Amino acid sequence: FQDRIRERLMASGVSMQSPETCFFSHDTIIKSGCVIEPNVVFGLGVKILNSTTVKSHSYIEGTKIGRHCQIGPFVRLRPGTHLFDEVKIGNFVEVKNSTLATDTKANHLSYIGDAKVGNNTNIGAGTIFCNYDGKNKHHTVVGNNVFVGSNVSLIAPLKIGDGSIIAAGSSINRDVPSE
C-alpha cells in the first residue's frame, strides 16, 4: 500500500527525496509541486495544496495546509489545524485545533492550541498558547499584523487585537486592544 501511494503521489508531481521513509494514510491528499523530505508521517485527514514543502521528521494528522507553505522540520500538526497560504511553521512547533491565516509565521519552539491567528502575524520562539485551565479548554484569537515576542504565554480565553505588539517574556491574561 505505501509503495502504491508513494508512486501515485510522485506521478502526480509530488517530490520525495527518500520516499521509502515517508508514510501516508489511505486518505492523504497532496497536490503537485509539493516537496516531502525524508521521515515524514501523515495520519488520517491530511490535505496539502500546491507547492508546499514538508521538512524532515514531521508528523501531520487531521490538517489542511494551503499553497506555498513551509512546514518543519520536527513539526507536529494535530487534528483541527488549518493553515492558509504562505504560512511557515518551523522546527519544534506543535499546532492543534487552530487556524493560521495567510503569511503567518511560527518559526520555532512553540505550542499553538485552540486558536485563530490572523494574517501576517509572527509568533515568537517559545510562545505557548495556554488553552487548558485544568478543567476546560479555552480559545485564543490573535488579530492581523500582530507581533508576539519570544517566550510569551497567552493565557486563554483571550483576544489580541490587530497590529498589537506583545513584548518578549510577557504573560498575557487580559484582552489586548487593536493598535
Side-chain angles (χ1 to χ4, degrees):
F1 169 77
Q2 291 297 322
D3 288 339
R4 283 194 317 269
I5 197 164
R6 291 173 188 132
E7 289 172 15
R8 179 177 53 85
L9 288 168
M10 289 187 291
S12 73
V14 174
S15 296
M16 286 185 249
Q17 299 166 349
S18 186
E20 68 280 1
T21 68
C22 299
F23 296 90
F24 303 90
S25 185
H26 68 90
D27 64 347
T28 303
I29 298 170
I30 303 175
K31 299 293 184 176
S32 67
C34 289
V35 175
I36 310 301
E37 291 187 358
N39 301 305
V40 176
V41 176
F42 297 90
L44 291 171
V46 175
K47 181 176 183 179
I48 302 176
L49 298 182
N50 307 78
S51 304
T52 285
T53 298
V54 180
K55 296 185 178 186
S56 294
H57 304 287
S58 295
Y59 182 86
I60 303 171
E61 63 180 320
T63 296
K64 295 178 185 174
I65 300 173
R67 292 172 177 81
H68 305 284
C69 293
Q70 294 181 40
I71 309 300
F74 298 98
V75 162
R76 183 168 183 211
L77 300 179
R78 293 172 55 196
T81 297
H82 185 180
L83 309 178
F84 283 81
D85 296 342
E86 299 183 29
V87 169
K88 184 174 181 188
I89 302 296
N91 52 307
F92 302 105
V93 174
E94 179 178 1
V95 183
K96 181 208 63 113
N97 194 34
S98 297
T99 300
L100 281 71
T102 302
D103 283 329
T104 290
K105 294 177 252 347
N107 285 319
H108 28 252
L109 304 168
S110 296
Y111 172 72
I112 302 168
D114 298 303
K116 180 179 179 185
V117 180
N119 296 314
N120 195 40
T121 290
N122 183 80
I123 306 299
T127 294
I128 306 279
F129 283 60
C130 306
N131 58 334
Y132 185 58
D133 65 9
K135 189 173 183 179
N136 297 302
K137 297 266 178 145
H138 297 283
H139 199 74
T140 298
V141 177
V142 178
N144 299 319
N145 304 305
V146 172
F147 180 85
V148 178
S150 296
N151 293 321
V152 169
S153 295
L154 300 174
I155 304 167
L158 191 62
K159 291 182 183 176
I160 307 293
D162 293 343
S164 297
I165 297 173
I166 307 297
S170 298
S171 290
I172 306 298
N173 62 1
R174 289 186 226 149
D175 290 353
V176 176
S178 296
E179 292 296 313

